[in-house]
Structures are given as C-alpha cells and as structure tokens.
Amino acid sequence: GIEVKKQFSVSSGELSVTFEEPNSELTSGTYAIGDQIPLKGDVPGATRPVPVYLYVTGPNLPPNGAKLDNPHSPMVDGDPSTFTVTTYSVIMNEWTYSWKTEGLADGTYTVYASLKPYGYLSSRFPGDPGTDAKGNVPISHDYPLSEPSLGVSMSNNGIVSKGDVLYGRWLSRGSATEIRWYIFGTNFKYADRMDH
C-alpha cells in the first residue's frame, strides 16, 4: 500500500569512446623518445567503470599494433592481456593513461583507443570486428617523436677569468636518465655526472 517513485534512465547500451585530441605541442614534434605523454578521453553515457583498450602502431612495431608499455609485444585480437588497458572512471568522468615513450625509434606513432580488444588489422575499416556498435573505426591520434637531444648554454658565452664561477643551463629532451660532462684545459681535467 506504499507508493515509491524513482527516476531512472534507459540507454541502448551502445557506448563509444572519445580520445582527447593532442595539443599543438604534442603534434609539433617537440617531444622526444623517452618523454611521457598524457592521454585521456571519455566514454559518454557510461554508468559504470569501462575498460578502454589502447595500442600503438608505428615504425618497427608489429603490424596489428603493440602495447604502449611494451612496444614490441604484439596485439592478439580478443585477448585483453595483450593490450594496454585503462579504465573509464565514472567519478572522474574520464579515462587517463600516461604513455612513457621508451624503446621506440624516431618517427610518427599512432595511438588508438577502443572499447574492444581488437588490434589495427581487425579495426581498419568500418564494420570490422574491432569497430564500435555503429561500425566506426577506433579513434586515434598521431604523435611524432624525435631522437633525444641535449642543449647546453654557458654563462658569459663560456669565456671566464681565473676565479670566476661558470654556470651552465642544461636542457634534455627525451627524459635522459643520466647526463655526464667533461672539462678539459691546460693542466686541468674534470668529469662528473648527474642522474635524471
């Protein structure tokens, strides 16, 4: 004899994933191999956590794609363990992944985000097994990566007098794990190193 009212919504269950477009800094080639690249997107309409399958294609990688955290590990269609998997958070309203670009060669890489564990060869064309419920191919973005580099600038253009302090500004692209330097001069030799 008690009446209770509750609102609810019904969805078709046809979810799709979005993948935020990289900013101009990422697409301009300023990132080097070894840098960390943030990836994120959404799963509009999802009311629970949803796995998002990520993979990468590019120079010297397996033709069906590879894991982001192990670029020489090939994708196996239908096997989620061969993909890099992140989860859409209903609370945060997004999925995120921090891609550490180690072990790659110089070139442009394409990262794909999908709701199905199918690699590139099964997702290339509309209606392939790896496409979404509407037949759309997985969304992807290109990321050009170059060789790591090191730039050094010295105070006073490197010209100092005895007793002066010489300051150097070092900029490493590609997240170097170690930098070494050597100083040679008349009756003087010096070498040192610094981690990260």
Side-chain angles (χ1 to χ4, degrees):
I2 299 173
E3 184 177 320
V4 176
K5 291 184 179 181
K6 176 77 176 161
Q7 286 188 336
F8 63 93
S9 63
V10 177
S11 66
S12 66
E14 294 181 1
L15 296 175
S16 61
V17 66
T18 66
F19 187 178
E20 189 174 286
E21 195 168 328
N23 61 33
S24 60
E25 188 177 68
L26 284 169
T27 58
S28 66
T30 58
Y31 276 70
I33 298 161
D35 283 340
Q36 206 155 313
I37 298 177
L39 308 173
K40 70 178 181 175
D42 188 7
V43 181
T47 56
R48 59 179 172 73
V50 176
V52 177
Y53 301 96
L54 304 173
Y55 62 94
V56 61
T57 59
N60 304 318
L61 297 184
N64 200 34
K67 289 178 98 169
L68 274 68
D69 53 346
N70 185 358
H72 301 291
S73 175
M75 301 292 88
V76 176
D77 291 342
D79 183 355
S81 69
T82 65
F83 289 77
T84 298
V85 183
T86 187
T87 303
Y88 167 74
S89 168
V90 179
I91 296 167
M92 299 301 291
N93 199 31
E94 68 181 5
W95 61 265
T96 62
Y97 185 79
S98 188
W99 178 29
K100 183 78 170 163
T101 60
E102 292 178 329
L104 301 172
D106 190 18
T108 298
Y109 293 85
T110 306
V111 177
Y112 298 81
S114 177
L115 295 178
K116 293 181 178 180
Y118 284 86
Y120 174 72
L121 298 176
S122 299
S123 306
R124 290 183 288 184
F125 304 108
D128 276 353
T131 58
D132 68 14
K134 295 178 182 175
N136 299 317
V137 298
I139 192 162
S140 64
H141 296 298
D142 291 339
Y143 298 88
L145 297 173
S146 59
E147 289 293 328
S149 63
L150 178 66
V152 180
S153 62
M154 305 302 282
S155 62
N156 302 329
N157 294 322
I159 300 170
V160 293
S161 299
K162 186 175 181 178
D164 286 348
V165 176
L166 179 63
Y167 293 97
R169 182 173 186 270
W170 303 61
L171 176 64
S172 170
R173 290 177 60 251
S175 304
T177 56
E178 179 185 78
I179 295 176
R180 294 176 183 235
W181 59 89
Y182 305 89
I183 301 171
F184 298 101
T186 307
N187 301 320
F188 183 81
K189 292 178 185 174
Y190 178 78
D192 207 344
R193 60 178 286 281
M194 180 181 287
D195 289 332
H196 306 291

